[in-house]
Amino acid sequence: MEVVARLLALLVLLLVGAGLRTTGVLDRRRVAGLNTIAYYVALPALVFVSTYDQNVADLLSVALVGGLLFVLGTTAALAWVVHRNRGSNDRSSVAIVQSYHSNLGYLGLPLVAATFDARVTAIASVVLGVVTLTQLPMTIVVLSTLNGADAALVGEIRGIVKNPVLLALIVGLAVGSAGVSIPSTVASGFDAVAALALPIALLCVGASLQVEASTIDFGAVVSVIALKICCMPILAWLVFSALGVDPATFTAAVVMLGTPTAVSTYVFAAELGGDRKFASLNVFATTLASIVTLFVLITLVS
């Protein structure tokens, strides 16, 4: 029942965010402000408090990195096979990237932190780092190549290096591995800020969701949903079971890879010639459907 309550609360916050956008309370400027708070403050705080008392050697393993890269690469390859002839390139490219590009920061990590213990959350932070460093360049290359758009890949990679969430991960792991003690008052402050990550992120996601009836391509949308929140976590389950990783690593990897399509894919689609309306629809559809699939995943791994 606790898992159901958490996911229902997640759905309520998504709907509240969408409702506040519809009524004009969360206009573009305010959504941008919330995104700034989430991206530069709350999420880095969550990553830091999850890792500052952990040794990187206990979290990062060859099996974890190899398994993540295999699942990501295999899902992307399947998406290419399924979507490569999806009508126009602008729609095909969006369908491909949205079939593997996971919402790890705004949904995955905060949900894991609210549901599982500290070790699972710490490993989920590492999953966020490894997958983000892989899926972002992949998405930029796929969209720019298929749509013939000019993508300043070097500039985008520099942006990844400056990502505050990834920087918080590096600092947290460095502090934990060095055995540096954090004063309890400082730790409590970070904990308080980290607690804001999930509600703020969900409001931002909800306020960013837009659906237009004219964009609905049921076959394409169902294919994206099937690949992203069904095939990808099932593949993760099989791969990490075969690798024999510990339960915390297994839980973190499967749940994180079972998250819906990231809202950022809509931004990349808009910048790199993708079908923006189709991208927005897929974000909405995978997020809504993931309420059910994440409940199943969390119940099974628990």
Side-chain angles (χ1 to χ4, degrees):
M1 288 302 294
E2 184 179 356
V3 175
V4 174
R6 289 188 186 279
L7 290 174
L8 285 177
L10 182 153
L11 177 59
V12 168
L13 281 169
L14 286 172
L15 294 176
V16 168
L20 291 176
R21 175 187 57 80
T22 302
T23 58
V25 174
L26 279 180
D27 56 20
R28 183 174 298 181
R29 180 179 59 83
R30 288 171 180 155
V31 171
L34 280 178
N35 271 307
T36 298
I37 294 172
Y39 186 67
Y40 288 99
V41 181
L43 289 174
L46 175 58
V47 170
F48 181 76
V49 300
S50 302
T51 54
Y52 76 86
D53 57 353
Q54 303 282 339
N55 191 314
V56 64
D58 297 330
L59 304 177
L60 191 62
S61 65
V62 173
L64 175 60
V65 175
L68 291 172
L69 295 181
F70 180 83
V71 173
L72 183 59
T74 302
T75 306
L78 288 173
W80 181 274
V81 172
V82 172
H83 297 301
R84 69 185 187 281
N85 296 319
R86 183 71 64 187
S88 59
N89 282 346
D90 61 342
R91 178 157 294 196
S92 177
S93 61
V94 168
I96 291 170
V97 302
Q98 291 192 314
S99 295
Y100 67 78
H101 196 123
S102 303
N103 192 343
L104 303 177
Y106 273 43
L107 186 56
L109 183 60
L111 179 62
V112 168
T115 309
F116 299 100
D117 62 27
R119 176 166 171 76
V120 176
T121 304
I123 296 173
S125 296
V126 175
V127 171
L128 182 154
V130 173
V131 175
T132 297
L133 287 171
T134 308
Q135 69 181 9
L136 279 178
M138 282 175 58
T139 292
I140 294 166
V141 169
V142 170
L143 287 171
S144 60
T145 300
L146 288 183
N147 297 317
D150 281 332
L153 188 57
V154 174
E156 295 289 352
I157 292 174
R158 286 199 189 108
I160 295 172
V161 173
K162 296 177 182 178
N163 185 310
V165 178
L166 296 179
L167 291 176
L169 173 62
I170 294 171
V171 172
L173 290 174
V175 170
S177 300
V180 177
S181 178
I182 301 295
S184 58
T185 53
V186 175
S188 297
F190 276 113
D191 282 331
V193 176
L196 299 174
L198 184 58
I200 292 177
L202 288 174
L203 286 175
C204 290
V205 171
S208 301
L209 299 179
Q210 299 181 30
V211 179
E212 294 185 21
S214 61
T215 67
I216 296 179
D217 179 342
F218 286 104
V221 172
V222 170
S223 297
V224 171
I225 292 174
L227 284 167
K228 182 66 209 69
I229 61 174
C230 295
C231 178
M232 196 170 193
I234 290 173
L235 181 59
W237 188 294
L238 295 174
V239 168
F240 286 99
S241 293
L243 289 172
V245 297
D246 62 272
T249 299
F250 178 85
T251 298
V254 171
V255 174
M256 290 288 278
L257 293 177
T259 53
T261 300
V263 179
S264 61
T265 57
Y266 168 80
V267 178
F268 285 121
E271 292 179 349
L272 299 174
D275 187 329
R276 293 181 298 172
K277 294 179 179 179
F278 180 61
S280 179
L281 174 62
N282 286 332
V283 171
F284 175 83
T286 58
T287 301
L288 190 61
S290 72
I291 301 298
V292 176
T293 56
L294 283 171
F295 166 73
V296 174
L297 277 180
I298 291 172
T299 301
L300 290 175
V301 299
S302 297

